[in-house]
Amino acid sequence: MLDKEFKVSIPCSRVKLAVEHVANRINSDYTGKEVIFVAILNGSFMFVAELMRKIKLTCRISFVKVASYEGDTSGGIVRELIGLKEDLNGKHVILLEDIVDTGFTLDHLMRQIRTNYSPESIAVASLLFKPQSYRKSIPVNYVGFEVPNDFVVGWGLDYNGYGRNLEDICIMC
Ligand code: 5GP
């Protein structure tokens, strides 16, 4: 793809099983509760579509994006959540991510949500998690697969905009 070679790392059948396992755990942990899922686009779209088919709870889903820009005070990259219309006060919230790498994005999103709302609970589900590069302490409660620090594409994840449609999770050779 483009200038890089990729090979299959996790075939589609295994990904689907892992997503079903995540859904089962969420169904069991939130039995009798209403949940608002907040899906972080673009990369999460395939994970979310597969997961939501298996969720049996009373729930709503909100699709949001992260706008990244240079911060003027800290000098770091600020990641702002845009498009969130739901009122999260008093709600059980589950953030849906494609991949958690360093955790900086997640950290920013959590801070914003906690600044603007008082949810009853907040948890994180991510299709993929890179524990070796994780720099934060926020628990990633539901994980499809832990992966090494290789660059991955497929199942919604892209390389320069390409590869989101790949049905297997692939890594750069
Ligand atoms: P973090 O803030 O946790 O370091 O980065 C999260 C974001 O980085 C993800 O939502 C994703 O967009 C991007 N990212 C991190 N690792 C990978 C990877 O291996 N492949 C792709 N396609 N994106 C990645």
Side-chain angles (χ1 to χ4, degrees):
M1 196 168 30
L2 298 175
D3 55 332
K4 299 281 190 283
E5 293 280 321
F6 290 87
K7 64 178 182 195
V8 173
S9 168
I10 312 171
C12 182
S13 55
R14 281 188 58 211
V15 183
K16 286 188 170 181
L17 276 177
V19 175
E20 187 169 358
H21 185 63
V22 167
N24 291 343
R25 286 185 54 213
I26 292 174
N27 284 332
S28 139
D29 291 352
Y30 289 83
T31 303
K33 293 175 180 159
E34 182 168 333
V35 171
I36 296 190
F37 291 95
V38 176
I40 317 295
L41 293 173
N42 294 328
S44 71
F45 78 93
M46 244 191 226
F47 169 50
V48 172
E50 187 70 20
L51 182 80
M52 295 313 292
R53 287 189 193 106
K54 310 282 181 196
I55 292 291
K56 309 295 180 206
L57 306 166
T58 303
C59 64
R60 284 183 286 158
I61 179 154
S62 186
F63 294 91
V64 301
K65 283 197 131 184
V66 177
S68 301
Y69 54 90
E70 203 88 16
D72 54 354
T73 48
S74 66
I77 301 290
V78 175
R79 296 157 177 92
E80 190 187 349
L81 196 59
I82 53 173
L84 185 60
K85 303 279 190 297
E86 255 71 38
D87 176 4
L88 305 183
N89 287 312
K91 303 290 186 339
H92 293 287
V93 177
I94 303 182
L95 294 185
L96 301 177
E97 277 272 21
D98 54 351
I99 187 164
V100 176
D101 183 15
T102 61
F104 281 95
T105 305
L106 187 59
D107 188 63
H108 275 271
L109 301 186
M110 283 289 204
R111 279 172 204 270
Q112 274 177 62
I113 289 175
R114 290 197 189 286
T115 303
N116 295 310
Y117 307 95
S118 299
E120 173 75 27
S121 69
I122 180 157
V124 181
S126 185
L127 177 62
L128 302 173
F129 177 47
K130 292 182 176 173
Q132 290 156 14
S133 57
Y134 196 53
R135 298 283 172 271
K136 300 290 173 181
S137 53
I138 300 160
V140 184
N141 311 80
Y142 305 97
V143 172
F145 293 96
E146 292 193 352
V147 291
N149 274 355
D150 308 299
F151 188 80
V152 300
V153 294
W155 266 78
L157 290 118
D158 74 308
Y159 171 54
N160 287 346
Y162 293 87
R164 292 191 196 277
N165 55 313
L166 294 172
E167 64 172 356
D168 304 306
I169 290 174
C170 302
I171 54 168
M172 199 182 280
C173 302

